[in-house]
Amino acid sequence: LEELRIRGLGVIDDAVLTLGPGLTAVTGETGAGKTMVVTGLLLLFGGRADSARVRPGAAQTSVDGRIELARDSALIDRVRDAGGSLDDGTALVLRRVVTAAGRSRAFVGGAPAPVAVLAELADGLVAVHGQADQVRLARPAEQRAALDRFADLELAEFAAAYARWRAAVDALADRTARRAELRREADLLAYGISEIEAVNPEPGEDVELSLAASRLAHADALRRAAHDAHDALLGDAADPASDALDVATLLGAARRGLSLQLGADPQLDALADRLSELAAVVADLGADLAGYADGLDADPTQLAQVESRRAAVTALIRKYADGPEAGVTDALRWAANARSRLAELDVSDDAMLALAAERDTTAAIAAALAAQLSAARGSAASRLSAAITAELADLALASATVTIAVRPRPVVTGAPTLTVNGAEVAVGPDGADEVEFLFRSHPSAPALPLGGAASGGELSRVMLAVELCLAGSDPVPTMVFDEVDAGVGGRAAVEVGRRLARLAREHQVIVVTHLPQVAAFADRQVVVGRSEGAGVSTSDVRIVTGAQRTAELARMLAGTQSGTAREHADELLAAAAAERGQRRSGRDGTGRTAKT
């Protein structure tokens, strides 16, 4: 994340934050707006829009961010899929706007996009760790999720197996409980199918029968009309001596008249050819009319058969097809759907045994996957417990330990259960385990749940240790820590700075802090100030170096810039610089090989 511009957010009027690799510390007096930096980041990456955050008097809040992506980043394709483009092939510009009325808009690479796209990109770009995360980590469900993240566990395969098993259980239970009802429904469907199969209509047959019935009912009139048309075209074959003129006779006279001048004018010859073609058409049409008249049958028996068939088909349509425009095709569609439904309603012994077999098979698969999850969590719990305890030792809690317990989830009445590793346990889409972080402040103290065992300062350090351990397993390039060092001071504060600096060797780390010991370890320090009675503007956000940085650290240490405070600030900076130099050479501040 190279640059962040925030306008109209809280106390910030218009400010630009220039960032870079390594560790950046954002400091400033309480109320100056430094936490708005994190709020802006959350907005930029798809966080919930809150119109109350819009600066009073401003029409909207806007946050723009410029991010340099790796050339092989999979996010580049996602940006292009969203219609966005990148500057120089790798520079991505994101934008989020929230109006005072609460409307929210998002832009990815210059193109409008759903806010969900920002959140999707955030998963691969940034992780924000704050005091709210510490509160959440006291909850068992969040502790399980944290352990799974540390272990890099994917739950999709088990969740799918769990869903298949529950679907099989529900299908068997439903069919068992409703066996009599389903039998009655099956009987009705089978009866309807048998009625349709007995008539055995063809698609479109209702239309064909309607036409056939009309033709048979009007056969005499149709025959007379065809004969009259034939006689007008070709003459009355039954009375060749009739004086009535017909079209064929008139065309013959016309052709004879033109034939006398054949060859005299090509244009007239062409007209004569057209006259010949017309005479041929009249002859063909007359023959077709004669054939049509001869083919008409006024047989009352045939008409009765057609009407009987038509009545049977119409009865099916009325019974099994809906709507005034329904036809036999709709009745046939009902029969097809009924056959499918009938297969689902099978309550025969064979069908019930098949459902039971499906339930048992899917249960065995889900139980095996649950056992694998439990084993992976148990192994990861040992590693994470040791890592957190090691962090606590360096955070001035040398006697404290954190143990992560992974237990089978106890059976609860009404909850789904499986036999996992030979024991019946309750299961859910996340597996069959309960995960609990237990804290022991000293060896003789009991191990108690994390949320209720530690004091405020201890809890902050434990949660920070957890965050640091989890952050180390997070693949995102940028990590943001929002005052997670609350309640920490003294030597522990120095260790917090040291650990964030260590994390910044492989990640871009941004920390909002009030601790000078942490800020001293930063590669750059950004101070957010605030003019009296005004908002934060670009001039109030500055990178401090040299004497300015010493002065800011002195203010953080003592609230003043006295000579003593400045000397202490210089000592902090010198110690942090020495620490960074030792880590570059592979040694930590105690002479031990630096952890990686």
Side-chain angles (χ1 to χ4, degrees):
L1 181 62
E2 294 184 333
E3 186 176 89
L4 188 70
R5 181 174 187 180
I6 303 172
R7 285 176 283 190
L9 178 63
V11 299
I12 297 180
D13 177 25
D14 186 348
V16 176
L17 189 68
T18 302
L19 301 167
L23 176 59
T24 298
V26 180
T27 64
E29 293 187 10
T30 301
K34 57 184 183 296
T35 58
M36 287 295 102
V37 172
V38 177
T39 302
L41 274 172
L42 291 174
L43 271 178
L44 184 65
F45 289 106
R48 185 177 66 87
D50 185 357
S51 60
R53 293 285 192 179
V54 178
R55 180 173 169 76
Q60 65 183 29
T61 285
S62 67
V63 184
D64 299 81
R66 182 179 177 87
I67 300 155
E68 183 68 24
L69 299 178
R71 291 197 174 272
D72 59 350
S73 173
L75 298 180
I76 292 177
D77 290 336
R78 184 64 187 96
V79 170
R80 289 172 177 159
D81 289 344
S85 59
L86 295 101
D87 297 341
D88 301 325
T90 56
L92 170 64
V93 176
L94 301 179
R95 178 174 171 81
R96 179 80 180 278
V97 176
V98 179
T99 68
R103 294 188 58 191
S104 174
R105 290 176 295 157
F107 301 86
V108 174
V115 173
V117 176
L118 292 180
E120 184 180 341
L121 293 173
D123 289 340
L125 290 175
V126 64
V128 179
H129 304 271
Q131 294 184 54
D133 296 289
Q134 294 182 358
V135 173
R136 285 197 299 271
L137 272 174
R139 303 170 188 161
E142 293 294 334
Q143 291 175 3
R144 180 200 56 73
L147 178 61
D148 287 352
R149 192 175 107 203
F150 177 80
D152 196 23
L153 288 182
E154 289 290 342
L155 301 183
E157 183 180 6
F158 173 79
Y162 174 85
R164 288 191 296 270
W165 167 58
R166 294 311 303 164
V169 169
D170 292 343
L172 178 59
D174 178 70
R175 207 170 295 192
T176 300
R178 300 172 54 223
R179 199 165 188 173
E181 176 188 344
L182 297 178
R183 276 203 181 103
R184 288 192 295 272
E185 184 182 351
D187 288 343
L188 290 173
L189 292 174
Y191 178 78
I193 292 170
S194 66
E195 272 198 314
I196 294 174
E197 289 178 344
V199 176
N200 194 26
E202 295 292 333
E205 186 179 355
D206 52 332
V207 177
E208 294 176 4
L209 288 171
S210 178
L211 294 173
S214 178
R215 186 166 55 248
L216 288 169
H218 300 87
D220 291 335
L222 293 172
R223 186 184 296 108
R224 282 194 302 273
H227 277 306
D228 291 345
H230 171 273
D231 294 347
L233 291 175
L234 300 180
D236 187 355
D239 186 10
S242 173
D243 293 334
L245 289 176
D246 56 77
V247 173
T249 300
L250 294 172
L251 288 174
R255 291 173 64 194
R256 286 191 298 274
L258 293 178
S259 66
L260 296 176
Q261 303 301 323
L262 191 64
D265 185 353
Q267 187 175 357
L268 188 62
D269 291 347
L271 294 174
D273 291 340
R274 290 173 60 189
L275 192 61
S276 297
E277 293 171 0
L278 182 57
V281 171
V282 168
D284 289 342
L285 182 56
D288 290 342
L289 286 167
Y292 172 80
D294 293 340
L296 285 173
D297 189 355
D299 183 2
T301 303
Q302 185 179 2
L303 177 59
Q305 291 173 347
V306 169
E307 290 291 2
S308 176
R309 176 69 177 175
R310 187 183 178 194
V313 171
T314 301
L316 291 180
I317 293 172
R318 288 174 179 168
K319 193 171 184 179
Y320 297 108
D322 295 326
E325 302 297 326
V328 71
T329 301
D330 299 289
L332 291 172
R333 185 180 300 113
W334 180 93
N337 293 336
R339 291 187 186 95
S340 299
R341 175 61 178 160
L342 200 57
E344 298 172 0
L345 299 177
D346 189 356
V347 289
S348 64
D349 291 342
D350 288 344
M352 303 301 281
L353 287 173
L355 283 176
E358 175 69 10
R359 175 202 59 194
D360 295 342
T361 299
T362 54
I365 294 172
L369 292 173
Q372 292 177 17
L373 279 180
S374 296
R377 283 173 176 152
S379 174
S382 299
R383 300 195 309 273
L384 183 54
S385 297
I388 294 172
T389 299
E391 291 288 349
L392 291 179
D394 288 331
L395 291 172
L397 287 175
S399 300
T401 58
V402 167
T403 304
I404 301 175
V406 179
R407 310 185 189 95
R409 190 171 293 166
V411 175
V412 178
T413 302
T417 62
L418 283 173
T419 301
V420 179
N421 295 325
E424 186 179 12
V425 295
V427 292
D430 54 13
D433 306 307
E434 282 190 342
V435 175
E436 188 173 31
F437 285 37
L438 302 172
F439 177 73
R440 191 193 304 268
S441 59
H442 52 86
S444 60
L448 296 174
L450 187 59
S455 65
E458 288 173 333
L459 183 60
S460 292
R461 279 177 277 179
V462 171
M463 291 305 183
L464 179 58
V466 172
E467 288 289 349
L468 289 171
C469 292
L470 293 179
S473 65
D474 205 322
V476 297
T478 299
M479 295 181 180
V480 181
F481 291 87
D482 181 20
E483 297 196 0
V484 293
D485 47 20
V488 177
R491 187 172 67 84
V494 174
E495 294 299 333
V496 171
R498 179 178 288 121
R499 271 145 188 75
L500 291 175
R502 186 181 69 197
L503 193 60
R505 295 169 65 189
E506 297 186 12
H507 299 267
Q508 179 189 34
V509 178
I510 302 166
V511 56
V512 178
T513 182
H514 66 282
L515 293 179
Q517 297 93 329
V518 172
F521 275 91
D523 297 293
R524 77 188 49 75
Q525 184 171 349
V526 178
V527 178
V528 180
R530 182 182 180 186
S531 302
E532 189 65 30
V536 177
S537 64
T538 298
S539 61
D540 297 312
V541 179
R542 64 191 192 282
I543 296 176
V544 292
T545 58
Q548 289 182 333
R549 187 173 186 187
T550 298
E552 171 63 10
L553 289 177
R555 181 200 64 77
M556 296 173 71
L557 281 165
T560 68
Q561 296 185 20
S562 65
T564 303
R566 285 174 174 270
E567 288 178 7
H568 192 182
D570 283 332
E571 289 176 3
L572 278 178
L573 289 170
E579 174 70 21
R580 288 198 297 272
Q582 289 167 347
R583 288 202 173 275
R584 291 192 186 97
S585 65
R587 310 295 293 179
D588 68 10
T590 63
R592 298 173 298 183
T593 301
K595 298 175 184 176
T596 59

